[in-house]
Amino acid sequence: MSVYRLIFALAAFAATLAGPPLAIAADACANRGELDAMYCDANKDLVADVPTDSKKWKNPSTIVFTYTPVEDPAVYENIFKPFTTYLAKCLDKKVVFYQVQSNAAEIEAMRSGRLHVAGFSTGPTAFAVNLAGAIPFAVKGTANEFQGYNLIVIVKANSPYQKLSDLKGKKVAHTSPSSNSGHLAPLALFPKEGLTPDKDYKIIFSGKHDQSVMGVNSGDYDAGAVASDVFHRMAERGQVKESDFRIIYRSQKFPTSSFAYAHDLEPQLADKLLSCFYEYRFPPEMQKAFDGADRFFPINYKTTWEVVRQVASGSGQGFDKASYDKETAREKAEAAAKAKK
């Protein structure tokens, strides 16, 4: 085991679809968990095992890389240019940035074998793991921690509310039905803290995180469930004063986009890939683009994404094929609506 695979393993402690079958046959798999039938998880680490047949390992002369299409893919191709240039030299291979237009296209590309390493958004990471054999190994971060955010519940500093159960019968703002920290996470995480949304209080949708913060500030809401990074950025911009609020709940950290490689890469290539990623330090322009992150921080999917899976399960969501098809249909509908504007 290389030192970088060891780092990857210890990170746990420190912290439709097309294409030919690429993995172990179904009848040879002792455990699959939530993975698609193309993959196996004998060691129960929740990600696809390397194929036992070395003939199925891939060691391509050109490495195809992409990043989650949160904005214009061309923007990120430019942002990652210093890194892809470095990666080509580090691996002694050609590296190309593959522009994808949707999460579905990105996941399909890895499943079909056309994509070797990629950055996936938080939710799509779990779909990529289960349906495309992706193995997440890093998140943008610093020397001390990976980049992420928390669900926080804020109240006015002079209010009497000290814990979530104090909010029964009060005016509590959520942001929007599709928001992770602004709605889905409260549905999943609040009940065990003694507060059940839509039972102990009527959910009020503010529309956006900043509107929830401003609503609590003005007294329109007694409390608001918001993303910690949005709240802190508003304070830094002078829109609100953090001292005017009290945080009465903070969730485990939600990770930002993961970086994952295809499970069927030749093991020595995978080791070298990890080495290249972990040793790289972002130049100033990448640090600026990624909110001060300066490196790829080692993570483990089983532990780091536990809170994401917990939220999905607790809010009635999933990362299986049916949920993927539903999310893909929603994504296509949103794209079509934007195209009409």
Side-chain angles (χ1 to χ4, degrees), residues 283-306:
E285 59 269 30
M286 283 185 67
Q287 292 185 38
K288 182 178 180 181
F290 295 125
D291 299 322
D294 67 357
R295 69 194 65 202
F296 297 103
F297 189 92
I299 58 94
N300 176 284
Y301 174 74
K302 186 174 183 177
T303 54
T304 309
W305 252 255
E306 180 180 8

Side-chain angles (χ1 to χ4, degrees), residues 149-180:
Y149 65 96
N150 309 86
L151 154 63
I152 60 173
V153 176
I154 56 170
V155 298
K156 290 286 286 185
N158 59 4
S159 77
Y161 314 119
Q162 300 294 328
K163 57 186 182 299
L164 287 185
S165 58
D166 293 338
L167 298 176
K168 291 181 178 180
K170 305 303 177 182
K171 293 181 291 184
V172 181
H174 289 205
T175 58
S176 63
S178 63
S179 173
N180 178 58

Side-chain angles (χ1 to χ4, degrees), residues 26-328:
D27 58 1
C29 184
N31 178 72
R32 183 166 288 110
E34 296 184 357
L35 301 182
D36 185 79
M38 289 170 61
Y39 314 110
C40 194
D41 180 22
N43 60 4
K44 299 183 180 181
D45 62 356
L46 304 188
V47 298
D49 297 334
V50 177
T52 55
D53 183 356
S54 61
K55 293 180 181 179
K56 295 181 179 180
W57 296 349
K58 290 184 176 179
N59 190 348
S61 59
T62 298
I63 297 295
V64 181
F65 169 76
T66 195
Y67 185 67
T68 175
V70 292
E71 294 179 46
D72 182 355
V75 171
Y76 284 97
E77 182 172 4
N78 290 330
I79 289 173
F80 277 102
K81 184 63 176 176
F83 173 68
T84 54
T85 299
Y86 153 84
L87 187 61
K89 183 177 181 181
C90 186
L91 293 176
D92 194 24
K93 292 178 180 288
K94 182 178 180 181
V95 175
V96 298
F97 189 98
Y98 174 55
Q99 293 188 18
V100 291
Q101 302 300 322
S102 69
N103 292 316
E106 184 178 18
I107 291 169
E108 181 179 348
M110 181 165 283
R111 178 179 170 104
S112 65
R114 294 179 285 115
L115 180 63
H116 306 119
V117 60
F120 293 96
S121 293
T122 303
T125 289
F127 283 119
V129 166
N130 291 348
L131 302 179
I135 301 182
F137 62 90
V139 171
K140 298 183 299 292
T142 63
N144 298 320
E145 61 182 358
F146 66 80
Q147 202 173 60
Y149 65 96
N150 309 86
L151 154 63
I152 60 173
V153 176
I154 56 170
V155 298
K156 290 286 286 185
N158 59 4
S159 77
Y161 314 119
Q162 300 294 328
K163 57 186 182 299
L164 287 185
S165 58
D166 293 338
L167 298 176
K168 291 181 178 180
K170 305 303 177 182
K171 293 181 291 184
V172 181
H174 289 205
T175 58
S176 63
S178 63
S179 173
N180 178 58
S181 55
H183 182 59
L184 298 178
L187 293 181
L189 302 179
F190 284 5
K192 66 180 180 181
E193 302 293 331
L195 186 71
T196 301
D198 242 5
K199 177 183 177 183
D200 293 328
Y201 65 87
K202 182 179 179 180
I203 296 172
I204 304 172
F205 288 114
S206 69
K208 296 191 297 183
H209 290 272
D210 56 350
Q211 291 174 183
S212 289
V213 174
M214 298 306 294
V216 173
N217 194 46
S218 66
D220 292 338
Y221 311 125
D222 296 307
V226 299
S228 60
D229 55 347
V230 176
F231 176 65
H232 294 309
R233 282 199 299 267
M234 291 179 69
E236 289 175 357
R237 290 194 298 262
Q239 292 176 273
V240 295
K241 292 182 179 179
E242 289 196 42
S243 59
D244 289 341
F245 299 85
R246 181 169 60 251
I247 296 174
I248 65 170
Y249 174 81
R250 182 183 295 272
S251 75
Q252 181 179 338
K253 187 193 294 186
F254 290 98
T256 58
S257 301
S258 73
F259 290 84
Y261 64 85
H263 79 294
D264 56 352
L265 291 186
E266 193 272 331
Q268 288 185 333
L269 173 59
D271 282 339
K272 182 60 176 176
L273 187 75
L274 294 179
S275 172
C276 293
F277 267 80
Y278 293 152
E279 291 177 357
Y280 184 69
R281 295 296 176 263
F282 297 0
E285 59 269 30
M286 283 185 67
Q287 292 185 38
K288 182 178 180 181
F290 295 125
D291 299 322
D294 67 357
R295 69 194 65 202
F296 297 103
F297 189 92
I299 58 94
N300 176 284
Y301 174 74
K302 186 174 183 177
T303 54
T304 309
W305 252 255
E306 180 180 8
V307 66
V308 179
R309 297 190 302 271
Q310 180 184 9
V311 164
S313 176
S315 59
Q317 305 294 312
F319 295 111
D320 54 13
K321 179 68 162 56
S323 299
Y324 172 83
D325 289 342
K326 181 179 179 181
E327 180 65 17
T328 299

